[in-house]
Amino acid sequence: MTTSTHSLFSPVRLPCGTQLPHRIAKAAMSDSLGDGDGTPTAAHTRLYRRWAHGGAAVSLVGEVQITDRHPESAGNVVLDARTDTAAFSALTAAGGENGSSLWAQLGHAGALTNAASGRPVGPSALDAPGLHAEEMPVGDVARVPELYAASARRAQLAGFGGVEVHAAHGFLLSQFLSPLFNHRTDRYGGDPARRRRLLLDVLVAVRDAVGAEFPVAVKINATDRLVGGVDEAQSLALIDALEGTAVDLVDISGGTYFPGAATDAGTRASAPPYVGFARRARRRTSIPLMLTGGVKTFEQATAIVNSGTADVVGLARSLVLDPDLPTRWRRGDTTAPAFPRFDETPEGGVTAWYTERIAHLAGLRDDPVIDAVRARDDLARRDQGRAERWRLTRASREPM
């Protein structure tokens, strides 16, 4: 599966038996297209149909929440007991056109829960500028695998082609892995093995819920890029622990938001930042690997696959700029998308620019080219109204 003879457009078979038609995936992003009630919209359907027809082998819907109490954004969708299955089925049908497959990235924001829409909680209590969270009681922690399993089963019934358990980028499962977030002394913290326990329990529960032939991926950080957070040595130990699980794909990324924490920037080269980690991980596991983050060119993607560094390449912002990129590259036009340059980059502005560009792709806004300041402000206005609706439509539910 990982020999140098493989090309970017050869198929790859996952351990569960599913075969992807080639090696380019649309990696998960927070598309922020929900209207505040956790249900997929017509904009979701348009967007993921667009990526399917652009040639992605598989697209991941980012930030599909397992509970409405802890969303990353009021623009998220939710797979819970009151899910509108028909709306999700319409989405999965559109995202599965043209031979593509649509997977749900299942998440819980934990301490990074949008406070206007939910209740920030985490492995340990936090009270820092810009980050406040309650410690989860041990009983609530023990219920998390059940929530992931139930959402995974709902995803399967709604027609998703697979699920990805989100344990990266500082959300709940990533927080449990991190000594910076996790100061517990019970069975879920205190040393690396116990910090890994919740994630491993989630993966077992998800596999039991969906059966042996349904793809289950997990997204992890190569490094948190924070002083005191998860580093590459700890992540390689996690790779070793995953080897004994029924995971079909390990999606490698990196980086974590923790306001006020010192950043361990590492190398800031033009090459994808986690290639070296993926090479080291490849030597330690037989599980197929996906490398996400910083891959911008055909040459980079091809080198990653042909060298055996990873089996699948995850593209995110590149496919926002050019959703037809996989088809173009397959046909021999191997030019890279034109990445924007900004005169001003306020905090959160660049991410907001891509989020608003997604809104344009999905037909929610007419103008495709906006500056980062306006993007930040436009997204903030959308979020304000959606957060209020989230509170109103979700207030009657029992807390988790």
Side-chain angles (χ1 to χ4, degrees):
M1 184 179 298
T2 59
T3 65
S4 61
T5 58
H6 283 165
S7 71
L8 197 57
F9 291 101
S10 63
V12 56
R13 186 170 296 278
L14 303 179
C16 67
T18 292
Q19 180 169 284
L20 303 181
H22 60 77
R23 312 300 181 103
I24 300 176
K26 198 292 293 178
M29 305 177 74
S30 181
D31 55 52
S32 200
L33 294 177
D35 57 11
D37 68 0
T39 303
T41 62
H44 281 103
T45 301
R46 290 191 295 268
L47 177 68
Y48 289 94
R49 176 178 285 121
R50 183 72 183 82
W51 274 322
H53 285 269
V58 59
S59 292
L60 288 103
V61 183
E63 306 300 343
V64 178
Q65 299 300 315
I66 62 168
T67 167
D68 61 1
R69 294 294 165 172
H70 311 288
E72 173 264 349
S73 159
N76 295 159
V77 295
V78 185
L79 273 168
D80 64 6
R82 293 173 61 182
T83 285
D84 181 347
T85 304
F88 274 99
S89 296
L91 171 60
T92 58
E97 292 178 3
N98 195 39
S100 187
S101 181
L102 191 65
W103 293 9
Q105 183 195 64
L106 303 179
H108 179 307
L112 300 186
T113 296
N114 181 280
S117 309
R119 182 169 59 97
V121 297
S124 302
L126 293 169
D127 188 10
L131 189 61
H132 303 270
E134 303 169 25
E135 179 174 316
M136 294 177 71
V138 67
D140 285 356
V141 178
R143 287 185 57 214
V144 168
E146 301 171 24
L147 292 174
Y148 272 92
S151 286
R153 180 59 178 152
R154 291 183 185 109
Q156 187 179 34
L157 293 173
F160 282 99
V163 293
E164 178 178 85
V165 172
H166 195 358
H169 299 166
F171 297 110
L172 183 73
L173 296 178
S174 175
Q175 290 160 22
F176 269 87
L177 294 170
S178 171
L180 195 58
F181 281 93
N182 186 349
H183 306 144
R184 301 177 78 100
T185 56
D186 59 14
R187 67 193 302 263
Y188 297 107
D191 61 47
R194 284 186 285 177
R195 290 197 298 270
R196 291 193 291 267
R197 183 188 300 274
L198 180 59
L199 173 58
L200 297 178
D201 287 352
V202 165
L203 293 172
V204 169
V206 167
R207 175 56 73 196
D208 287 347
V210 299
E213 297 179 356
F214 190 73
V216 175
V218 59
K219 189 168 193 174
I220 67 168
N221 276 353
T223 167
D224 286 351
R225 303 186 90 154
L226 294 174
V227 174
V230 172
D231 58 21
E232 288 198 1
Q234 294 172 56
S235 292
L236 287 172
L238 175 58
I239 290 285
D240 293 341
L242 291 173
E243 180 67 15
T245 68
V247 167
D248 293 297
L249 187 68
V250 178
D251 184 359
I252 295 168
S253 187
T256 292
Y257 175 69
F258 192 133
T263 301
D264 178 12
T267 27
R268 292 195 176 276
S270 57
Y274 308 116
V275 167
F277 176 85
R279 288 195 191 106
R280 290 185 283 279
R282 177 75 288 156
R283 293 193 289 267
R284 299 170 80 126
T285 185
S286 60
I287 302 171
L289 301 179
M290 174 170 157
L291 182 59
T292 298
V295 182
K296 298 181 178 180
T297 69
F298 173 82
E299 290 76 16
Q300 289 171 340
T302 301
I304 288 165
V305 171
N306 284 353
S307 66
T309 299
D311 304 276
V312 180
V313 176
L315 305 181
R317 290 179 173 181
S318 293
L319 294 185
V320 175
L321 298 172
D322 185 355
D324 294 318
L325 200 63
T327 296
R328 282 205 301 104
W329 283 359
R330 183 192 283 274
R331 292 176 177 172
D333 178 359
T334 58
T335 54
F339 282 80
R341 295 181 178 274
F342 302 101
D343 295 329
E344 283 187 83
T345 54
E347 183 177 353
V350 174
T351 297
W353 188 91
Y354 281 95
T355 302
E356 291 302 288
R357 184 69 177 239
I358 286 173
H360 171 69
L361 277 179
L364 286 188
R365 62 178 302 145
D366 296 329
D367 54 328
V369 181
I370 51 177
D371 62 62
V373 174
R374 183 181 162 194
R376 178 202 60 188
D377 295 344
D378 287 355
L379 181 58
R381 279 190 290 271
R382 280 206 291 146
D383 281 345
Q384 185 175 5
R386 293 185 299 186
E388 179 63 24
R389 181 172 183 183
W390 191 283
R391 288 193 298 270
L392 291 173
T393 59
R394 302 277 167 174
S396 63
R397 300 199 179 189
E398 290 299 317
M400 148 52 198

